Amino acid sequence: MASPPGLFARELAGLDIPGLALASAQAGPEQVDAVLRRAAAAGRGATARGDAGGRLGLEDLAVLLSPAATGRLEELAQLARATTLRRFGRAVRLFAPLYVSNACLSSCTYCGFAKGLTVARRTLTAQEAAAEAQLLVDRGFRHLLLVSGEHRVEVSADYLVEIVERLRPFVSSISIETQTWSDDTYARLVAAGLEGAIHYQETYDRERYAQVHVAGWKRDYDRRLASFETAAGAGVRRLGLGVLLGLAPDWRADVLAMAAHAAFLARRFWRTEVSVALPRIKPSASGFPPTVVVGDAEFVQAHAALRLFEPDAVISLSTREPAALRDGLVRIAVTTMSAGSSTEPGGYGRPGTAQEQFSISDERSPADIAAMLVAAGYEPVWKDAFPLVEAAG
């Protein structure tokens, strides 16, 4: 039985995302010029008054995502860079994914862990996960993201709670990217030391979502969409959302819907940190080809536009993307990035023993990434760059 729509699902139903996407496709140079002037004025206002200086709306974001705006990419990037420096300074948080299992009972056509694929499966014991975490801590990381396939037996609530409890004494920030959970399970994880939850919607297009999520827990669109409301209500303090570019035919519509979702979460759960990400489809055991190819220029454009729309959102970038592109985006909009990543369970201590989720493009070591940041005038932050608002009392 499908879950009932949550708060944001009801808000999303009232937004004309297809209409905004159409308007984006039809936007002209004059509209782009007007929105860029408004964004620049908002930035000057923020500098003068110490606040946001007026926010852009979804209609403005649609214009900034338009083909017409691609020709103004340099100006768009400079405005985004100024906003990023103003809101976050030169601190860039580094994190590492720690894959604990690639066992999965969901059939997602684009994923290298999907049920039914003949791949090498492995689920780490809690002791093995702690050993992997120690390797990452020894490399400097203090922010770890626990990642797994969707398997409610091998990756149970008890299993995750045990791992979080084991890691918490020596890892200062722990997040999960797993299946969605009930409020009581999130509460147990928070009590064990969990800070964040990442549950990418992949695509906000209901029809396309049903096509690519064939079977399993993840097929429930509304449960997935409401997972952030459930997690935040249980005390999770970092919420990470994103779309998989290339999955749906209209990537701009997905970015618009995700931006609306991020704005909703920032309003509704104002004590939480909201992060967004725009991963692109990469080769995996699924053999899934992108429905549409999002080029590098459009990729940069989307990140810059998001920064101007939601100045306070953390924007995260993974090692899916090539080194040169990552180096450029950290100077424009990105404030959090992974480094030296492995996408297979046990891949840091014993690489090659299980199937990876997808191929990575930036294979530089964490030390190399840190050196790149320092050379560019940024500070690599291994601990917490952006403290959360503490509850009163």
Side-chain angles (χ1 to χ4, degrees), residues 159-343:
Y159 170 84
L160 281 177
V161 167
E162 181 182 1
I163 290 178
V164 172
E165 288 176 340
R166 279 179 177 254
L167 269 53
R168 193 65 183 90
F170 64 99
V171 179
S172 63
S173 178
I174 303 171
S175 298
I176 58 169
E177 186 176 349
T178 64
Q179 64 198 41
T180 58
W181 299 97
S182 62
D183 53 358
D184 60 329
T185 295
Y186 284 120
R188 288 182 60 200
L189 288 165
V190 168
L194 184 76
E195 281 193 345
I198 294 176
H199 298 307
Y200 292 171
Q201 190 67 20
E202 316 296 7
T203 177
Y204 287 79
D205 182 327
R206 280 184 181 269
E207 182 178 352
R208 184 59 175 156
Y209 189 95
Q211 291 170 352
V212 298
H213 298 97
V214 181
W217 199 258
K218 195 170 179 177
R219 183 170 172 78
D220 190 336
Y221 177 99
D222 282 302
R223 179 184 174 89
R224 188 79 179 178
L225 195 60
S227 62
F228 294 106
E229 298 160 31
T230 306
V236 174
R237 300 296 300 280
R238 302 183 192 275
L239 304 174
L241 62 159
V243 291
L244 186 56
L245 298 182
L247 192 59
D250 191 341
W251 65 267
R252 290 179 175 87
D254 264 342
V255 174
L256 285 162
M258 184 198 68
H261 197 179
F264 165 84
L265 292 172
R267 293 193 313 269
R268 182 78 183 185
F269 304 104
W270 59 272
R271 285 191 172 92
T272 65
E273 175 191 88
V274 178
S275 68
V276 296
L278 297 171
R280 293 187 287 187
I281 291 175
K282 293 295 179 181
S284 73
S286 70
F288 185 91
T291 303
V292 61
V293 175
V294 179
D296 288 352
E298 294 170 322
F299 191 65
V300 172
Q301 179 182 359
H303 282 80
L306 279 172
R307 170 56 68 220
L308 294 178
F309 174 76
E310 194 63 38
D312 295 325
V314 171
I315 298 182
S316 181
L317 187 64
S318 78
T319 52
R320 286 174 181 258
E321 302 303 331
L325 186 59
R326 277 165 45 94
D327 292 358
L329 276 169
V330 81
R331 293 166 170 84
I332 297 171
V334 167
T335 55
T336 295
M337 62 196 314
S338 57
S341 302
S342 170
T343 68

Side-chain angles (χ1 to χ4, degrees), residues 140-152:
F141 292 105
R142 297 298 181 269
H143 291 267
L144 298 185
L145 172 64
L146 305 180
V147 187
S148 76
E150 298 201 342
H151 200 296
R152 297 180 70 81

Side-chain angles (χ1 to χ4, degrees), residues 16-33:
D16 184 12
I17 296 298
L20 287 170
L22 179 61
S24 177
Q26 297 175 343
E30 299 83 3
Q31 292 169 280
V32 174
D33 191 61

